[in-house]
Amino acid sequence: MTSRGVPDRWLCDVMLARLPRLLRAAGHDAAFAGSEHPDRQLILQAEAEGRLLLTRDRQLAASMGAGAFLVTPDRPDDQARLLGESFGVNWLAAPFTRCLMDNVMLRPASAEEITALPPDLPRPVNACPACSRLYWPGSHVRRMQRRLEILAGRDSR
């Protein structure tokens, strides 16, 4: 496939429920539309927010033309590889700068937020301004970092 350039903003439909977390982990703005969103609402949301709609629905992708991209693989890592091949997605763009749940940019945790955590947790600690979820560089980050490196073709193993 030819590269179309990396979109700044993505919208994943319900059939791609795990893909937004991978995009967010890499620092990309990836919204998720749940099952309560009919096709027309997805189209309007993508257009209003300037997002490329990612879908596994052939009819929906065809109806949007250049505003949508058909994602054919079943597995999230294969879906991510397709985005890398098709758009040149940088899987190491800005890792761990967005909330995996809310898609909001993280901020440094306050001293008050940090005092609620065990003192031996690795630093730095970041917080989501929307849901107050805290993030620190633990084993989950190391696993996800390796996964992003594999997607980027930079796995050292």
Side-chain angles (χ1 to χ4, degrees):
M1 291 187 178
T2 60
S3 176
R4 301 201 247 179
V6 182
D8 292 332
R9 308 179 81 193
W10 309 87
L11 174 60
C12 298
D13 73 5
V14 70
M15 292 183 269
L16 298 169
R18 295 174 61 195
L19 186 57
R21 288 178 63 102
L22 274 175
L23 285 161
R24 292 171 185 168
H28 298 284
D29 183 344
F32 175 68
S35 60
E36 69 280 359
H37 292 80
D39 288 357
R40 184 71 189 136
Q41 188 176 350
L42 289 174
I43 292 167
L44 292 173
Q45 180 180 350
E47 290 172 352
E49 297 176 6
R51 296 181 181 278
L52 178 67
L53 176 63
L54 301 174
T55 183
R56 297 200 62 209
D57 182 329
R58 292 181 188 281
Q59 289 181 330
L60 178 57
S63 73
M64 283 195 69
F69 182 74
L70 181 64
V71 178
T72 54
D74 293 327
R75 295 180 39 233
D77 284 7
D78 294 335
Q79 295 165 354
R81 281 187 196 88
L82 177 63
L83 294 183
E85 293 165 4
S86 301
F87 296 99
V89 171
N90 179 355
W91 291 104
L92 301 172
F96 316 113
T97 56
R98 288 188 173 274
C99 178
L100 297 179
M101 303 307 289
D102 297 324
N103 193 37
V104 175
M105 293 296 291
L106 299 176
R107 61 166 172 73
S110 69
E112 182 178 300
E113 290 167 319
I114 291 173
T115 59
L117 297 172
D120 59 339
L121 280 179
R123 303 293 192 258
V125 177
N126 291 312
C128 174
C131 70
S132 301
R133 186 173 272 111
L134 298 176
Y135 293 88
W136 59 89
S139 60
H140 57 289
V141 169
R142 289 188 295 278
R143 285 190 303 272
M144 183 58 82
Q145 179 69 36
R146 182 168 188 282
R147 191 173 178 191
L148 294 174
E149 287 170 0
I150 290 168
L151 290 172
R154 298 185 190 162
D155 182 39
S156 58
R157 291 185 193 182

